[in-house]
């Protein structure tokens, strides 16, 4: 059985920046197959190496400021840190370094990243913007499609 | 004269920008700027104080547990709660586990590459590395074959064109002094530490229910103890913790410390650079007889002035004449004007950005140039962090601290004055890791003894209900985060938060000048530092990284551009 980790990344104090955490919190309330684990990764870096390497496949939901329309969701398969989309906000170095750490420590799970384009973050708030709130169901559906192995 | 800009300077969590003026190969002026706005306080106002820990710990992905700890202590201090003995021990174990993980990760993954040349490791003779490794430690992974394999792994990674994690190094810089063999040793342990740190953080999941962001609770800890219950802290989980602590201490004593000493031996000249301020502050931590008895703390509370180790001054964070924050050079506005200093109970968080519109070349450092406020103790600038803690413990008469410090000075054959430096700061971090790892074992043994004696209490319900609280009250929650003195200040009115302010370690160290023109730790520590090559200001990284900068909680919003800028302007 393939063990899948769904990892929501972001800082919920910064509005849209926390979209990954909001998504994973919603997802874990659903009835998920036994081989699926949900984790609110917060802005954690190295601390996430262990749960990521324990999985065969890691599905990351993260925020990006890539200049696109807010609410755009892109599916990416980054292999190295350089493949990680530019301008990931709160945690841009910590998490992408995990990808290199996989190679250096010789345990490499498959990584699928759903990068959600967020609005520029200029205030401290727990709320998502309307554009990003609206795509939460889309993100959840995309993630669930990924769970079928 | 050249003006160097390094931005961002941290490898993790938050953006810090340093501008330094170099004249004749030496830094003559420096400006430290946090480039993200701060404002967690705004979210907390009006909330239930018992929930504050869950928000404050989100300020940072690295030291989550200390923000949660400072927060529950703040509320307990305000409403007058003393936590049960087991809760104190479990909180200490969790904090000690954070220290050990954080300091090892800082050394290998955030700081070592300022001293260790990864590329040089590729040309090392693995057999010689094995010889060195075996001569300095009993750590079993030290064969020629092992180092050959590591070298091959690094080579494959570098040749793949994906420097990634190693991308920002100034490889080949003339300030790198280690022989290739020791570079290989350090890189091998860089990789081992990546694996190692996965284990020790499990302590947080066991006691705090999850990781990252473990659970805390006002009045105790949110785990129940029952040796035979599946879902409680039971015998199996305690045995697991015992093993994690033992393995962590083995790594610290057999890998971290021998490496630290081996590397330091080649950089003794850094015992004369990066000293900076001469005042040191520690709030103290690891209580053994309640938060209100600082004399029982394993890390003592106090202040050292002018590097005078014969006297430790008391500190009272509730005194409005002692701790004040200034905004003369920070992008905020105070009702009482630019030169006012406010005690955190009366703290204000009104933004006032006057800096240039990004992207820009230089900040106007005569005006406001940072999102970090400037804290002062009796209007004096203070260094916080491992060096402060070790010096204050040394001066307070702690024999275990005096013994380990004196033995290390002797081993390195450097004078006491070498403590006040970049080298001293990095060494102090290692030495306190040894001590804290030992205390962690002690806290654990005490916890087990308590449980065996029949005490399984982890929480006090007394004063849980807001109806039992005073109508208005205020409190301070002090901790020593791995990076230094951390305090949360709360004012509670009618059961909800009326004001909440965080004065975090990196605020003390990374802040801009105060209204009197006094520099804070980073800026002061850079003055006089030699810079061999202004195109590769490795020396700036060494000193700033020795403080373990983390701006994530000093400032709370993030600059979208994550790229490493390093610009030089000849003026």
């Amino acid at each position: 059985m393939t063990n899948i980790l769904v990892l929501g990344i972001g800082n919920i104090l910064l509005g849209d920046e926390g979209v990954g955490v909001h998504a994973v919190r919603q997802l874990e309330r659903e009835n998920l197959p036994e081989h699926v684990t949900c984790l609110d990764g917060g802005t954690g870096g190295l601390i996430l190496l262990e749960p990521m390497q324990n999985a065969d496949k890691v599905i990351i939901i993260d925020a990006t400021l890539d200049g696109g329309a807010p609410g755009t969701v892109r599916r990416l398969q980054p292999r190295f840190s350089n493949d990680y989309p530019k301008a990931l906000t709160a945690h841009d170095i910590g998490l992408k370094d995990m990808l290199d750490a996989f190679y250096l420590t010789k345990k490499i799970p498959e990584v699928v990243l759903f990068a959600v384009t967020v609005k520029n973050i200029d205030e401290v708030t727990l709320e998502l913007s309307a554009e990003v709130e609206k795509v939460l169901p889309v993100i959840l559906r995309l993630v669930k499609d990924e769970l079928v192995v | 004269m050249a003006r160097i800009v390094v931005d961002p300077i941290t490898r993790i969590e938050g953006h810090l920008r340093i501008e330094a003026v170099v004249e004749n190969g030496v830094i003559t002026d420096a400006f430290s700027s946090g480039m993200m706005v701060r404002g967690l306080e705004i979210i907390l106002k009006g909330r239930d104080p018992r929930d504050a820990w869950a928000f404050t710990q989100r300020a940072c992905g690295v030291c989550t547990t200390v923000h949660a700890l400072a927060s529950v202590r703040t509320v307990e201090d305000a409403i007058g709660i003393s936590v049960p003995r087991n809760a104190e021990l479990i909180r200490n174990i969790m904090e000690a586990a954070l220290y050990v993980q954080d300091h090892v990760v800082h050394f290998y993954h955030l700081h070592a590459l300022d001293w260790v040349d990864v590329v040089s490791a590729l040309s090392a003779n693995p057999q010689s590395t094995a010889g060195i490794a075996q001569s300095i430690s009993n750590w079993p992974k030290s064969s020629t074959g092992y180092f050959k394999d590591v070298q091959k792994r690094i080579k494959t990674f570098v040749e793949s064109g994906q420097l990634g994690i190693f991308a920002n190094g100034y490889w080949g810089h003339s300030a790198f002094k280690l022989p290739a063999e020791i570079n290989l040793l350090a890189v091998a342990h860089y990789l081992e530490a990546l694996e190692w740190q996965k284990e020790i953080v499990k302590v947080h999941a066991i006691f705090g229910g999850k990781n990252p962001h473990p659970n805390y609770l006002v009045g105790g800890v949110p785990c129940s103890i029952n040796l035979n219950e599946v879902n409680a802290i039971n015998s199996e989980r305690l045995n697991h913790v015992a093993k994690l602590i033992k393995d962590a201490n083995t790594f610290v004593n057999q890998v971290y410390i021998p490496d630290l000493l081996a590397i330091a031996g080649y950089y003794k000249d850094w015992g004369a650079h990066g000293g900076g301020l001469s005042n040191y502050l520690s709030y103290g931590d690891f209580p053994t007889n309640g938060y209100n008895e600082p004399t029982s703390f394993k890390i003592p509370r106090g202040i050292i002035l002018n590097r005078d180790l014969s006297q430790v001054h008391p500190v009272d964070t509730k005194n409005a004449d002692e701790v004040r924050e200034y905004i003369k050079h920070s992008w905020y506005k105070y009702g009482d004007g630019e030169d006012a200093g406010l005690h955190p109970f009366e703290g204000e968080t009104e933004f006032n950005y006057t800096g240039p519109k990004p992207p820009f070349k230089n900040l106007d450092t005569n005006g406001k140039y940072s999102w970090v406020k400037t804290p002062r103790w009796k209007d004096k600038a203070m260094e916080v962090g491992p060096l402060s803690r070790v010096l204050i413990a040394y001066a307070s008469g702690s024999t275990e601290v005096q013994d380990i410090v004196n033995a290390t000075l002797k081993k390195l054959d450097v004078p006491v004055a070498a403590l006040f430096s970049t080298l001293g700061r990095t060494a102090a971090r290692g030495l306190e890791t040894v001590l804290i790892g030992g205390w962690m074992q002690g806290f654990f043994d005490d916890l087990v003894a308590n449980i065996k004696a029949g005490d399984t209490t982890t929480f006090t319900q007394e004063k849980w209900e807001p109806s039992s609280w005073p109508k208005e009250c205020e409190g301070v929650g002090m901790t020593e985060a791995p990076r230094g003195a951390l305090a949360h200040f709360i004012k509670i009115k009618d059961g909800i938060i009326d004001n909440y302010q965080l004065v975090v370690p990196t605020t003390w160290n990374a802040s801009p000048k105060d209204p009197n023109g006094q520099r804070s730790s980073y800026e002061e520590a850079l003055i006089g530092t030699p810079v061999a090559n202004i195109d590769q200001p490795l020396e700036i990284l060494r000193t700033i990284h020795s403080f373990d900068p983390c701006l994530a909680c000093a400032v709370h919003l993030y600059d979208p551009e994550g790229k490493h800028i390093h610009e030089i302007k000849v003026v």
Side-chain angles (χ1 to χ4, degrees):
Chain A
M1 182 61 86
T2 309
N3 283 312
I4 301 182
L5 174 72
V6 183
L7 180 62
I9 294 293
N11 192 336
I12 53 161
L13 303 177
L14 304 174
D16 283 353
E17 221 287 311
V19 61
V21 173
H22 287 275
V24 89
R25 283 178 178 177
Q26 278 200 12
L27 188 69
E28 69 188 351
R29 286 200 291 266
E30 300 195 14
N31 206 354
L32 298 170
E34 226 170 74
H35 65 281
V36 178
T37 311
C38 290
L39 182 63
D40 159 9
T43 55
L46 276 177
I47 209 167
L48 299 174
L49 190 59
E50 213 266 336
M52 290 173 94
Q53 286 189 317
N54 276 347
D56 302 301
K57 177 174 175 177
V58 183
I59 302 168
I60 303 172
I61 312 162
D62 202 347
T64 181
L65 274 171
D66 56 5
T72 308
V73 184
R74 286 191 296 152
R75 182 187 187 278
L76 302 164
Q77 284 190 286
R79 290 182 61 236
F80 294 99
S81 62
N82 294 354
D83 305 332
Y84 217 84
K86 198 181 150 196
L88 274 150
T89 44
H91 35 75
D92 49 357
I93 293 175
L95 188 77
K96 70 183 183 190
D97 279 352
M98 293 308 97
L99 302 179
D100 294 338
F102 293 162
Y103 289 89
L104 289 166
T105 57
K106 297 196 286 194
K107 189 149 190 252
I108 310 162
E110 182 192 349
V111 176
V112 173
L113 166 67
F114 288 105
V116 185
T117 309
V118 299
K119 276 181 123 170
N120 206 345
I121 305 148
D122 52 10
E123 61 173 331
V124 178
T125 170
L126 297 167
E127 307 295 321
L128 293 174
S129 69
E131 291 93 322
V132 170
E133 179 87 49
K134 212 168 57 191
V135 296
L136 271 182
V138 178
I139 300 168
L140 259 56
R141 199 192 65 232
L142 288 167
V143 170
K144 278 189 272 186
D145 288 348
E146 258 344 291
L147 301 179
V148 184
V149 286
Chain B
M1 189 166 83
R3 192 165 177 125
I4 305 177
V5 178
V6 187
D7 178 13
I9 205 160
T10 50
R11 299 256 324 136
I12 54 157
E13 288 292 338
H15 292 196
L16 169 67
R17 173 190 175 100
I18 298 287
E19 296 193 13
V21 178
V22 180
E23 283 178 87
N24 304 320
V26 174
I27 295 175
T28 55
D29 208 352
F31 305 92
S32 161
S33 171
M35 291 307 294
M36 295 159 295
V37 71
R38 172 177 180 191
L40 180 58
E41 292 82 357
I42 297 164
I43 277 183
L44 291 168
K45 211 167 172 165
R47 290 188 183 275
D48 186 332
R50 294 168 299 183
D51 297 338
W53 65 267
F55 295 97
T56 60
Q57 74 162 337
R58 294 278 167 169
C60 177
V62 177
C63 22
T64 62
T65 52
V66 281
H67 277 295
L69 178 62
S71 184
V72 294
R73 280 182 179 165
T74 309
V75 180
E76 287 158 1
D77 184 53
I79 58 189
I81 295 175
S82 298
V83 302
R85 176 81 178 128
N86 286 337
E88 176 174 278
L89 289 167
I90 289 172
R91 287 177 180 185
N92 282 350
I93 294 167
M94 290 176 74
E95 190 179 9
L98 170 73
Y99 258 93
V100 174
Q101 189 255 2
D102 204 52
H103 280 0
V104 170
V105 164
H106 173 264
F107 181 72
Y108 286 104
H109 306 123
L110 305 172
H111 196 29
L113 301 188
D114 300 336
W115 312 96
V116 172
D117 188 333
V118 175
V119 173
S120 148
L122 299 177
S123 59
N125 176 341
Q127 195 180 356
S128 308
T129 300
I132 295 168
Q134 289 159 15
S135 74
I136 61 172
S137 172
N138 294 326
W139 186 245
K141 289 183 182 175
S142 61
S143 68
T144 303
Y146 175 70
F147 289 111
K148 250 187 200 160
D149 174 61
V150 168
Q151 204 175 30
K152 213 173 116 198
R153 233 194 299 171
I154 300 294
K155 213 170 188 162
T156 311
F157 186 73
V158 171
E159 281 171 357
S160 72
Q162 303 288 342
L163 263 178
I165 210 162
F166 301 134
N168 291 336
Y170 296 129
W171 314 130
H173 194 290
S174 65
F176 283 120
K177 304 284 188 210
L178 298 178
E181 284 67 30
I182 292 189
N183 284 319
L184 177 58
L185 177 75
V187 174
H189 293 161
Y190 175 108
L191 300 180
E192 282 185 49
L194 272 180
E195 288 285 355
W196 167 86
Q197 61 88 32
K198 287 157 65 173
E199 291 303 309
I200 183 64
V201 294
K202 289 179 181 167
V203 169
H204 294 154
I206 292 170
F207 290 117
K210 65 193 183 71
N211 217 4
H213 305 304
N215 293 315
Y216 273 73
L217 178 66
V218 169
V221 287
C223 54
S224 58
I225 297 171
N226 184 331
L227 294 182
N228 304 311
E229 172 67 49
V230 181
N231 293 317
I233 299 301
N234 54 29
S235 303
E236 190 192 339
R237 292 201 170 120
L238 287 172
N239 287 337
H240 190 186
V241 173
K243 183 174 186 317
L244 293 171
I245 292 174
K246 190 167 162 275
D247 290 350
N249 281 329
T250 306
F251 191 86
V252 167
N253 288 296
Q254 294 192 7
V255 183
Y256 177 18
I257 298 304
D259 284 359
L260 174 66
L261 293 174
I263 294 170
Y266 288 88
Y267 290 107
K268 289 184 198 175
D269 52 328
W270 280 84
H273 301 310
L277 297 176
S278 51
N279 303 323
Y280 304 90
L281 160 69
S282 162
Y283 290 150
D285 212 329
F286 298 111
T288 61
N289 192 26
Y291 174 71
N292 290 318
E293 260 194 56
T295 50
S296 80
F297 289 9
K298 299 293 268 184
I299 293 177
R301 178 177 295 171
I303 276 171
I304 287 175
L305 296 176
N306 306 316
R307 297 185 182 166
D308 175 5
L309 299 183
S310 71
Q311 212 183 348
V312 177
H313 303 267
V315 53
D316 177 6
T317 45
K318 287 184 182 168
N319 184 339
D321 294 330
E322 292 197 17
V323 178
R324 283 195 289 250
E325 287 194 296
Y326 292 90
I327 50 105
K328 172 102 175 173
H329 291 288
S330 317
W331 290 307
Y332 299 89
K333 205 183 270 178
Y334 276 172
D336 287 344
E338 287 299 288
D339 290 335
L342 295 183
H343 185 268
F345 279 148
E346 312 303 331
E348 297 172 13
T349 309
E350 190 185 339
F351 304 143
N352 177 29
Y353 186 72
T354 57
K357 196 174 153 34
F360 53 82
K361 290 254 186 241
N362 286 101
L363 290 163
D364 172 14
T365 46
N366 292 319
K368 293 176 182 284
Y369 61 91
S370 178
W371 281 113
V372 180
K373 292 179 184 172
T374 305
R376 290 290 180 256
W377 179 80
K378 292 189 178 175
D379 286 335
K380 291 179 198 302
M382 294 281 147
E383 172 172 341
V384 301
L387 179 58
S388 298
R389 288 189 289 262
V390 166
L391 291 175
I392 289 159
Y394 191 102
S396 300
S398 158
T399 48
E400 57 182 336
V401 170
Q402 288 172 349
D403 290 348
I404 197 168
V405 168
N406 292 339
T408 307
L409 291 171
K410 202 173 155 200
K411 231 178 261 174
L412 287 174
D413 189 25
V414 292
V416 178
L419 286 171
F420 311 114
S421 69
T422 298
L423 183 72
R425 203 171 287 120
T426 298
R429 185 174 291 107
L431 300 184
E432 75 170 5
T433 310
V434 174
L435 296 173
I436 292 168
W439 301 338
M440 177 161 59
Q441 182 68 54
F443 300 139
F444 178 77
D445 294 342
D446 288 352
L447 176 68
V448 171
N450 255 6
I451 295 169
K452 283 193 174 148
D455 176 7
T456 56
T457 310
T458 56
F459 168 65
T460 170
Q461 272 198 332
E462 192 200 351
K463 297 192 185 167
W464 172 255
E465 289 305 326
S467 55
S468 65
W469 304 350
K471 195 173 157 35
E472 283 185 46
C473 53
E474 54 190 29
V476 180
M478 283 175 274
T479 62
E480 277 295 319
R483 287 161 188 79
L486 165 69
H488 289 194
F489 297 78
I490 198 170
K491 270 192 163 185
I492 301 171
K493 206 171 162 184
D494 300 323
I496 60 167
I497 297 173
D498 188 46
N499 196 1
Y500 201 107
Q501 295 281 326
L502 298 86
V503 182
V504 306
T506 307
T507 318
W508 287 97
N509 287 338
S511 38
K513 293 178 182 60
D514 64 25
N516 293 324
Q518 297 181 99
R519 296 185 186 96
S520 298
S521 312
Y522 290 2
E523 293 183 349
E524 189 67 28
L526 288 174
I527 307 300
T529 295
V531 176
N533 175 357
I534 57 167
D535 293 318
Q536 299 191 329
L538 178 62
E539 296 88 347
I540 293 181
L541 296 182
R542 284 181 175 170
T543 290
I544 298 298
H545 285 169
S546 75
F547 287 96
D548 193 2
C550 179
L551 265 277
C553 56
V555 285
H556 299 146
L557 279 186
Y558 295 85
D559 178 11
E561 296 293 317
K563 68 174 191 281
H564 186 94
I565 316 169
H566 152 234
E567 279 177 9
I568 304 129
K569 194 167 119 193
V570 178
V571 288

